[in-house]
């Protein structure tokens, strides 16, 4: 019997390096003669730049160069559009992408205005403080709804308004559904801004080697290959003259795939200008302004239902805040639009959104990437409908699930990958049942909660479902090589930020080649090792790169079997790959080591067959026809301290279905980490902007991330509904943990407080906000504008 | 600000002397002067704990100290935890983290390890609540902490033998 590697909780190959401090992160790159960069950033969110005085800075000893937009000459141009708008009918989209350094005016606090290059970071920062920028402050656009008022100041004056995009997608006829409905639930929902706060800030080291005419860039990016391609184009170099390395990355979560950040455009250029290596490492405060953020939507939504709780239709009209620019196109609001329908069979859907420019940091996907907003609206509408109809909240969900025989299920709208939103597979009821059982639903609502309530305690339960579109195209590739040592190397283009790819991908190869996982060496995120690819986003690593690696390993396996059958003069069917050897089944003595075979496959003298490819190596690509839809159910029980409004989570259950699982240990880690971020987003983290658009809490003292005492232990269980869209049957799992936590909190908090008429229709919450809601305070945030 | 002062420290048993500006942070000193880049910097304002090292055996945040303040003292960084280059040489805590999947991106990990070494020495059989309390000064954005808790439990077991 050959050893199985797929599906095993194998500990990670990459860990010894990380545990001993040997793993290379961008800020660990030290090069001789390296210069350091600091940026001057605007304190104001919206202002005209009158004058920049750099004289004092230029004179400071140790300063090598200072640049403003003027000094960039022809190199100054807005960044590229990362994702074009999808082919939806009558779509409006105004492209306004970020600039390397602000010229004429600044559009958000933290926008870079000047750049200092010096012999040390300390000197660069001193000099940056000596640069004087004279601004003419302009009124800021902060509130989403006010942004679209006719007299609102404009973020981009060449546009008629702050409207960045307008999209309508429709399935069936909501108007007809509404006429037939027994009940219509209509509400306003608000989801406010947060930040990814990866523990590692961004950073770039660029090294133009003048003599070899070659540029090497170390970048905290999730997409090294597109960065290489873009840099080559911007700098007028061949792609072969540019090498981009994304080494170990200290957490990505989406914002590390902005493409191009101003600093990413500038550092390589500066290195070419000065012919010296240059380094810039973002500090935490900069990260709060200069790294992209997410969330910030206001929905006016309604649901039409029959008396027995069947959904006839949903209508949702929302505003999405893109910040000062929109380089990532419409990915986030399209995700909200397309994830809202969730696990439910909704015959009629009308969804309309407007994207608005504001004087706030740029919005691009952050774990969940807009999906949580859709899930929040849908799940809350269902809760409100259940209450109105006197139905159990689990039952109303069950009644509306897409039945298992309806897959593939076509939602008849266009998804972020420009393909129709078709769910590949799913089986939602067993997941719900499992979650109800694990949270002990009936006992809690029938015995536990009444008993505790009688004691005056505020305990509540939440249970919500979600889907997650994962593993979208276009494609990834991989090269698998058996080396003379018998070890196997695997090269792929995506970057990795802690997802355990070094191990899960090795497992796929081990499964095919019978080589121990520890003997498989994965190279990822180095454009010199693998040329083609798109990057790590949308929970696609395991699905898209995973299947490419699987295909590459299968091809190498075929080569091994063919060669060995000739060498050993036996039929291929009689061979097996075990312990790094290929051998005749049941005859261990007949084995050839894979390393020996690799040497034979690459002779240095003598003749080979015509068309023979050297080596035991294969390159393969995988591009799914469309994304795979994962799903799940989260449930929790929490208690609220009525004195402090602090929340204690007593039990948290996740039942998740992401198809086949490569490594359950890694999957659990992804889910637990996602839930922790979701909890932060739901109850701890909120970016507060002043009315002028400056950020009031740009530090870890004021922006609270959940700690080990805030995040509970999570009980999880998995169902496996394989995806028919890829040979491994996998679906992505990277974002699932974070997606449904908002509506889960809202439902559980409402249930715990048990105050008639109190509805929670916003995220994030906080103890303070709960007090306000209980007192019935109508604040700016929840007031109905017009 | 450009005058330099000599600083001599013992790091992981080895003595180093460097000329530094008085304002140089200890975290920068370790990382960029001594090239001990295992100590990470996540906030530079004392909250995240990624830069935690042992100063004379006590966990401290190296971003809150200047290099000149540790003149003549002894420091242990994450590079000094394992007794050798092989997996068997890993400190029980490192092994616990490896086995329990207590790290994902690994950026926060050195800070957690250095916080936990003295914790387990003082408290060889901690409860889960005590472990969570001990971890609560360090931020991790990837793991959700549960597997870190399990890693500490495993390590404690190993260290008790
Ligand atoms: S870097 Fe020192 S505590 Fe965050
Ligand atoms: S493992 Fe990434 S921050 Fe902790």
């Amino acid at each position: 019997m050959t050893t199985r590697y797929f599906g095993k909780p194998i500990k990670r190959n990459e860990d010894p390096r990380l545990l001993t401090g040997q793993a290379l992160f961008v800020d660990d790159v030290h090069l001789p003669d390296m210069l350091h960069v600091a940026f001057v950033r605007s304190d104001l969110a919206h202002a005209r730049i009158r004058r920049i005085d750099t004289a004092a800075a230029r004179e400071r000893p140790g300063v090598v160069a200072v640049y403003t937009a003027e000094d960039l000459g022809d190199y100054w141009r807005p960044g590229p559009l990362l994702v074009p708008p999808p082919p939806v009918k009558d779509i409006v989209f105004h492209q306004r992408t970020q600039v390397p350094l602000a010229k004429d005016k600044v559009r958000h606090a933290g926008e870079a205005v000047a750049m200092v290059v010096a012999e040390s970071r300390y000197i660069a920062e001193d000099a940056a403080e000596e640069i004087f920028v004279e601004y003419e402050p302009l009124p800021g656009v902060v509130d989403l709804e006010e942004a679209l008022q006719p007299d609102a100041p404009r973020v981009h004056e060449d546009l008629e308004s702050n409207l960045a995009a307008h999209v309508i997608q429709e399935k069936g006829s909501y108007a007809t559904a509404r006429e037939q409905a027994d009940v219509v639930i209509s509400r306003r929902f608000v989801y406010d801004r947060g930040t990814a706060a990866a523990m590692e800030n961004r950073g770039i080291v660029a090294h133009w080697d003048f003599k070899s005419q070659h540029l090497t860039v170390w970048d905290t990016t999730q997409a090294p290959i597109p960065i290489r391609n873009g840099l080559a184009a911007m700098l007028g170099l061949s792609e072969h003259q540019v090498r981009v390395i994304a080494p170990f990355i200290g957490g990505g979560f989406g914002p590390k795939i902005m493409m191009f950040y101003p600093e990413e455009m500038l550092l390589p250029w500066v290195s070419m200008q000065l012919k010296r290596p240059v380094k810039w490492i973002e500090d935490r405060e900069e990260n709060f302004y200069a790294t992209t953020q997410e969330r910030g939507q206001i929905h006016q939504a309604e649901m039409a239902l029959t008396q027995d709780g069947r959904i006839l239709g949903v209508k949702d009209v929302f505003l999405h805040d893109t910040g000062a620019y929109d380089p990532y196109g419409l990915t986030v609001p399209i995700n909200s639009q397309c994830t809202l329908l969730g696990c439910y069979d909704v015959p009629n859907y009308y969804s309309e959104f407007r994207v608005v420019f504001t004087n706030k940091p740029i919005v691009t996907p952050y774990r969940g990437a807009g999906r949580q907003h859709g899930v929040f609206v849908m799940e809350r509408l269902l809760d409100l409908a259940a209450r109105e109809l006197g139905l159990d909240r689990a039952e109303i969900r069950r009644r509306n699930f897409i039945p298992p025989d309806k897959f593939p299920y076509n939602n008849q709208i266009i998804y972020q990958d420009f393909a129709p939103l078709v769910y590949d597979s799913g089986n939602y009821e067993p997941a719900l049942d499992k979650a109800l059982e694990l949270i002990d639903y009936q006992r809690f609502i029938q015995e536990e909660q009444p008993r505790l309530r009688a004691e005056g305690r505020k305990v509540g339960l939440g249970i919500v479902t979600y889907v997650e579109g994962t593993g979208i195209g276009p494609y990834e590739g991989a090269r698998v090589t058996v080396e003379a040592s018998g070890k196997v190397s695997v090269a792929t283009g995506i970057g990795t930020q802690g997802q355990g790819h070094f191990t899960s991908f090795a497992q796929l190869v081990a499964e095919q080649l019978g080589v121990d996982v520890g003997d498989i060496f994965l190279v990822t995120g180095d454009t010199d090792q693998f040329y083609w690819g798109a990057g790590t986003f949308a929970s696609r690593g395991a699905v898209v790169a995973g299947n490419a690696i699987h295909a590459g390993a299968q091809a190498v396996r075929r080569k091994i079997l063919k060669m060995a059958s000739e060498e050993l003069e036996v039929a291929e069917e009689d061979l097996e790959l075990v312990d790094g050897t290929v051998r005749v089944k049941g005859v261990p003595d007949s084995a050839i080591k894979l390393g020996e075979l690799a040497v034979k496959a690459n002779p240095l003298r003598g003749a080979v067959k015509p068309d023979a490819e050297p080596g035991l190596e294969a390159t393969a690509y995988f591009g799914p026809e469309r994304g795979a839809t994962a799903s799940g159910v989260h449930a929790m029980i929490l208690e609220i301290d009525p004195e402090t409004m602090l929340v204690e989570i007593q039990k948290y259950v996740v039942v998740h279905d992401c198809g086949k699982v490569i490594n359950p240990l890694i999957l659990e880690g992804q889910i637990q980490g996602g839930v922790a971020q979701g909890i932060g987003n739901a109850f701890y983290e909120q970016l507060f902007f002043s009315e002028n658009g400056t950020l009031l809490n740009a530090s870890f003292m004021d922006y609270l991330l959940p700690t080990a005492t805030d995040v509970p232990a999570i009980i999880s269980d998995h169902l496996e509904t394989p995806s028919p869209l890829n040979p491994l049957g996998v679906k992505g799992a990277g974002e699932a943990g974070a997606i449904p936590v908002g509506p889960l909190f809202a439902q559980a908090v409402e249930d715990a407080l048990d105050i008639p008429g109190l509805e929670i229709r916003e995220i994030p919450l906080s103890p303070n906000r709960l007090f306000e809601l209980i007192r019935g305070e109508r604040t700016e945030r929840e007031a109905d504008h017009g | 600000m450009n005058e330099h002062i000599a600083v001599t420290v013992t790091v992981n048993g080895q003595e180093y002397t460097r000329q530094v500006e008085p304002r140089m942070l200890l975290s920068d000193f370790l990382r960029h002067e001594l090239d001990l880049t295992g100590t990470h910097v996540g906030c530079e304002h004392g909250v995240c704990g990624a830069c935690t090292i042992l100063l004379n055996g006590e966990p401290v945040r190296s971003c809150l100290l200047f290099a000149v303040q540790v003149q003549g003292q002894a420091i242990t960084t994450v590079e000094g935890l394992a007794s050798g280059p092989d997996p068997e040489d890993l400190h029980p805590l490192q092994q616990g983290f490896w086995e329990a999947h207590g790290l994902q991106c690994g950026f926060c990990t050195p800070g957690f390890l250095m916080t936990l070494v003295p914790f387990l020495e003082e408290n060889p059989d901690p409860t889960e609540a005590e472990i969570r309390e001990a971890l609560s000064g360090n931020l991790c954005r990837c793991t959700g902490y549960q597997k870190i808790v399990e890693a500490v439990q495993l390590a404690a077991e190993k260290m008790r033998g």
Side-chain angles (χ1 to χ4, degrees):
Chain A
M1 203 30 221
T2 51
T3 319
R4 294 299 310 262
Y5 296 95
F6 190 100
K8 294 283 180 309
I10 292 173
K11 56 183 189 174
R12 305 194 318 170
N13 278 349
E14 54 268 55
D15 287 358
R17 272 184 286 168
L18 290 162
L19 286 164
T20 53
Q22 310 299 322
L24 182 85
F25 291 85
V26 170
D27 191 22
D28 303 343
V29 175
H30 293 161
L31 300 172
D33 230 16
M34 189 165 74
L35 296 168
H36 297 263
V37 171
F39 287 91
V40 178
R41 297 182 185 278
S42 170
D43 293 329
L44 301 172
H46 198 195
R48 231 171 279 293
I49 300 171
R50 286 279 170 234
R51 188 169 65 90
I52 307 176
D53 182 354
T54 59
R58 284 180 206 270
E59 266 153 44
R60 173 172 278 274
V63 170
V64 175
V66 176
Y67 300 92
T68 64
E70 293 289 286
D71 303 313
L72 301 182
D74 284 351
Y75 191 66
W76 190 95
R77 79 201 86 147
L81 180 68
L82 176 51
V83 185
V88 172
K89 192 167 142 292
D90 297 333
I91 195 167
V92 173
F93 179 68
H94 299 297
Q95 172 180 340
R96 290 296 179 277
T97 54
Q98 70 291 353
V99 296
L101 291 171
K103 198 186 247 185
D104 308 331
K105 101 172 188 173
V106 290
R107 295 186 173 84
H108 68 84
E111 190 164 15
V113 178
M115 168 174 56
V116 181
V117 189
E119 297 291 345
S120 81
R121 177 173 158 189
Y122 289 75
I123 298 172
E125 285 184 7
D126 285 343
E129 283 190 8
E130 287 169 340
I131 291 176
F132 174 74
V133 187
E134 188 188 322
Y135 294 107
E136 175 197 333
L138 298 169
V141 183
V142 179
D143 181 87
L144 284 185
E145 287 162 318
E146 282 168 19
L148 287 183
Q149 298 296 317
D151 55 347
R154 271 169 294 151
V155 179
H156 298 278
E157 280 147 29
D158 57 329
L159 291 176
E160 277 166 25
S161 74
N162 290 313
L163 182 78
H166 182 211
V167 176
I168 298 175
Q169 293 217 68
E170 246 182 310
K171 167 189 187 181
S173 161
Y174 178 75
T176 316
R178 196 181 202 282
E179 278 165 24
Q180 293 160 354
D182 297 323
V183 31
V184 174
I185 307 289
S186 177
R187 295 289 193 284
R188 182 174 188 273
F189 300 95
V190 178
Y191 211 117
D192 213 342
R193 273 199 187 215
T195 184
M199 282 299 111
E200 179 200 36
N201 293 308
R202 289 183 300 122
I204 301 159
V205 176
H207 180 203
W208 170 247
D209 185 340
F210 178 69
K211 285 190 182 148
S212 66
Q213 294 283 296
H214 192 273
L215 177 71
T216 308
V217 179
W218 288 263
D219 186 0
T220 52
T221 180
Q222 296 172 229
I225 291 172
I227 292 283
R228 186 241 358 242
N229 299 347
L231 279 179
M234 286 190 266
L235 297 166
L237 298 172
S238 151
E239 286 171 11
H240 290 276
Q241 282 176 286
V242 184
R243 176 184 186 188
V244 175
I245 302 169
F248 278 97
I249 305 290
F253 313 122
K256 282 183 179 159
I257 191 172
M258 216 283 274
M259 252 163 53
F260 275 76
Y261 276 108
E263 303 88 358
E264 278 173 324
M265 303 191 241
L266 290 169
L267 270 271
W269 179 82
V270 169
S271 179
M272 290 181 76
Q273 297 293 309
L274 302 176
K275 301 187 180 62
R276 283 177 71 178
V278 290
K279 180 189 226 178
W280 169 73
I281 300 296
E282 185 181 58
D283 70 23
R284 182 54 63 183
E285 191 189 0
E286 285 182 292
N287 183 270
F288 272 96
Y289 289 100
T291 289
T292 56
Q293 305 174 346
E294 205 213 301
R295 320 197 201 285
Q297 292 184 356
I298 300 174
H299 292 248
Q300 187 66 49
E302 58 181 66
M303 178 180 272
L305 304 101
T306 62
Q307 200 58 49
D308 60 354
R310 270 174 221 286
I311 304 169
L312 295 174
V314 173
K315 176 179 176 185
D316 180 32
V317 178
F318 69 96
L319 290 174
H320 170 77
D321 176 4
T322 188
Y325 302 95
D326 56 3
Y328 217 103
L330 299 176
T331 300
V332 176
I334 292 272
N335 270 340
S336 310
Q337 181 168 63
C338 288
T339 309
L340 184 139
L341 295 170
C343 305
Y344 309 109
D345 193 359
V346 179
N348 302 287
Y349 182 40
Y350 176 90
S351 171
E352 171 175 4
F353 67 77
R354 285 183 177 76
V355 178
V356 299
F357 290 116
T358 59
N359 292 117
K360 286 187 278 184
I362 306 172
V363 168
T364 69
Y366 157 39
R367 201 174 202 169
R371 295 178 182 87
Q372 47 273 74
H373 306 68
V375 172
F376 184 68
V377 170
M378 186 70 171
E379 294 295 314
R380 292 275 60 204
L381 283 171
L382 280 167
D383 291 338
L384 293 162
R387 195 187 285 180
E388 175 98 11
L389 294 166
L391 280 173
D392 175 79
R393 56 197 140 163
E395 182 55 28
I396 197 168
R397 290 173 165 83
R398 188 189 303 278
R399 282 188 194 170
N400 287 290
F401 278 155
I402 300 166
D405 58 3
K406 268 198 161 178
F407 291 92
Y409 181 86
N410 190 345
N411 280 296
Q412 299 170 34
I413 53 177
I414 301 289
Y415 192 44
Q416 60 152 312
D417 59 355
F418 305 168
L421 180 66
V422 178
Y423 297 167
D424 56 335
S425 64
N427 191 4
Y428 304 140
E429 227 181 321
L432 179 65
D433 287 334
K434 189 101 233 176
L436 290 171
E437 181 193 319
L438 288 171
I439 201 85
D440 214 352
Y441 185 69
Q442 289 304 338
R443 203 175 65 86
F444 180 81
I445 57 171
Q446 281 165 14
E447 299 166 27
E448 191 105 339
Q449 192 178 37
R451 180 173 62 76
L452 292 167
R453 270 188 185 157
E455 292 171 17
R457 289 171 60 184
K458 306 217 169 292
V459 287
L461 181 147
I463 183 157
V464 298
T465 79
Y466 63 97
V467 296
E468 184 199 354
T470 73
I472 58 171
Y475 76 94
E476 288 297 334
R479 185 178 62 246
V480 178
T481 313
V482 179
E483 297 185 2
S485 62
K487 297 194 178 184
V488 180
S489 64
V490 182
T492 178
I494 66 166
T496 186
Q497 305 89 37
Q499 299 91 336
H501 292 146
F502 295 92
T503 312
S504 53
F505 289 166
Q507 285 176 257
L508 299 175
V509 176
E511 181 80 8
Q512 291 303 318
L513 303 186
V515 173
D516 193 74
V517 169
D519 287 332
I520 296 170
F521 182 68
L522 189 97
V523 187
T524 169
D526 180 346
T527 61
D528 267 14
Q529 297 284 333
F530 199 79
Y531 196 85
W532 302 99
T536 305
F537 54 92
S539 303
R540 67 194 291 278
V543 184
V544 189
N547 276 286
I549 288 167
H550 174 66
Q554 281 181 318
V556 171
R557 180 187 173 88
R558 284 193 295 274
K559 285 192 178 178
I560 291 171
L561 289 175
K562 182 155 183 290
M563 249 186 104
S565 99
E566 286 163 14
E567 290 283 326
L568 296 170
E569 297 178 348
V570 289
E572 288 183 27
E573 305 78 67
D574 295 329
L575 292 170
E576 60 182 1
L577 274 70
V578 187
D579 291 342
T581 67
V582 53
R583 69 184 190 199
V584 182
K585 280 182 192 156
V587 191
D589 290 350
S590 66
I592 310 182
K593 291 198 175 112
L594 295 189
E596 279 171 34
L597 214 55
V599 173
K600 287 198 173 139
N602 182 25
L604 293 180
R605 296 288 184 276
V608 294
K609 288 193 189 133
D611 302 331
E613 280 179 27
L616 290 180
E617 177 173 290
T619 299
Y621 296 89
F622 179 76
E625 165 190 342
R626 53 175 194 271
T629 306
S631 61
V633 182
H634 286 208
M636 84 171 168
I637 294 172
L638 55 70
E639 175 159 11
I640 301 177
D641 179 338
E643 301 279 299
T644 61
M645 287 294 149
L646 286 171
V647 159
E648 190 193 309
I649 301 172
Q650 296 178 337
K651 194 168 180 186
Y652 199 112
V653 167
V654 176
V655 180
H656 183 237
D657 186 344
C658 60
K660 292 278 186 194
V661 175
I662 304 172
N663 185 325
L665 196 62
I666 291 174
L667 173 63
E668 271 205 3
Q670 284 288 320
I671 302 249
Q672 291 171 0
V675 170
Q677 275 180 346
I679 290 173
N681 170 222
F683 204 73
Y684 295 90
E685 302 172 35
Q686 182 171 5
L687 293 169
F688 291 100
F689 291 90
S690 74
E691 58 191 23
N692 294 321
T694 47
L695 187 51
L696 301 173
N697 57 336
S699 88
F700 280 164
M701 320 249 200
D702 304 313
Y703 183 89
L704 299 184
L705 298 182
T707 69
T709 46
D710 304 319
V711 182
I714 291 155
I715 302 161
S716 62
D717 204 339
H718 304 284
L719 298 173
E720 279 193 8
T721 310
S723 173
L725 297 177
N726 65 75
L728 293 172
V730 296
K731 300 176 175 184
E735 299 171 274
I739 291 174
V741 191
L744 184 71
F745 249 85
Q747 191 193 101
V749 165
E750 236 173 58
D751 189 32
L753 292 173
D754 193 30
I755 298 172
L758 178 76
E759 292 177 0
I760 301 216
R761 293 183 273 115
E762 62 186 53
I763 289 294
L765 301 166
S766 63
N768 204 17
R769 187 66 193 143
L770 289 184
F771 277 120
E772 288 174 359
L773 287 169
I774 291 168
R775 287 201 304 257
E777 277 178 22
R778 287 163 64 84
T779 66
E780 186 73 4
R781 201 168 146 206
E782 58 155 359
D784 283 294
H785 291 254
Chain B
M1 265 330 250
N2 282 336
E3 90 203 63
H4 285 62
I5 301 185
V7 178
T8 301
V9 278
T10 305
V11 184
N12 304 327
Q14 192 179 330
E15 194 179 283
Y16 298 86
T17 301
R18 294 286 186 279
Q19 300 286 328
V20 300
E21 279 186 59
R23 62 172 171 172
M24 175 173 271
L25 298 178
L26 178 57
S27 48
D28 282 343
F29 177 79
L30 292 168
R31 293 179 44 74
H32 304 311
E33 293 294 318
L34 306 186
D35 205 19
L36 292 168
T37 54
T39 300
H40 293 157
V41 169
C43 69
E44 281 182 311
H45 53 253
V47 180
C48 75
C51 65
T52 306
I53 55 149
L54 300 184
L55 180 61
N56 308 318
E58 291 292 321
V60 298
R61 305 200 159 192
S62 59
C63 74
L64 294 183
L65 287 170
F66 295 111
V68 293
Q69 288 175 281
V70 300
Q71 164 64 32
Q73 305 187 51
I75 283 173
T76 311
T77 67
V78 69
E79 287 92 342
L81 267 191
S83 58
D86 295 321
E88 311 79 78
D89 304 327
L90 291 176
H91 186 281
L93 252 173
Q94 292 170 312
Q95 284 173 3
F97 269 70
W98 194 11
E99 283 165 35
H101 187 32
L103 63 157
Q104 291 184 27
C105 77
F107 193 80
C108 67
T109 313
F112 274 91
L113 293 171
M114 301 320 284
T115 305
L116 291 164
V117 168
F119 168 71
L120 281 185
E121 277 164 12
E122 272 166 38
N123 198 344
D125 194 7
T127 63
E128 178 178 338
E130 286 168 340
I131 295 174
R132 284 189 180 267
E133 200 56 47
L135 299 181
S136 67
N138 288 62
L139 296 174
C140 171
R141 196 55 159 165
C142 300
T143 62
Y145 306 104
Q146 186 171 344
K147 291 194 181 299
I148 299 183
V149 173
E150 288 162 25
V152 181
Q153 287 166 334
L154 250 178
E157 245 170 66
K158 285 179 200 282
M159 287 168 74
R160 289 195 306 270

